[in-house]
Amino acid sequence: MLGHVVRGDLGDSFRDGRPVLVLLGEALPGHAAASLPSILLGYLLAIPIGVISAMRPGGSSIGT
């Protein structure tokens, strides 16, 4: 079974008998469109906060 997964053969869906890889390919664009804005927002907030924290005296010390 692991050999099939490594080759990209995830088998057929129990629900409708279609290949799982095809179902994942159909769902991926919608999930990417939903998650991409949150990932970008996270970076837009995290990078400036990290830079500001590192610029402060003692702001980048970890574990103290």
Side-chain angles (χ1 to χ4, degrees):
M1 183 174 135
L2 186 57
H4 290 281
V5 172
V6 170
R7 288 189 302 257
D9 180 11
L10 301 177
D12 295 332
S13 168
F14 290 124
R15 186 182 309 165
D16 59 8
R18 294 173 53 202
V20 172
L21 198 57
V22 171
L23 295 172
L24 289 174
E26 291 173 356
L28 185 63
H31 288 283
S35 64
L36 190 61
S38 63
I39 292 170
L40 292 176
L41 180 63
Y43 281 128
L44 288 174
L45 292 174
I47 291 173
I49 290 171
V51 169
I52 291 168
S53 175
M55 290 172 52
R56 294 178 55 207
S60 62
S61 60
I62 298 174
T64 58

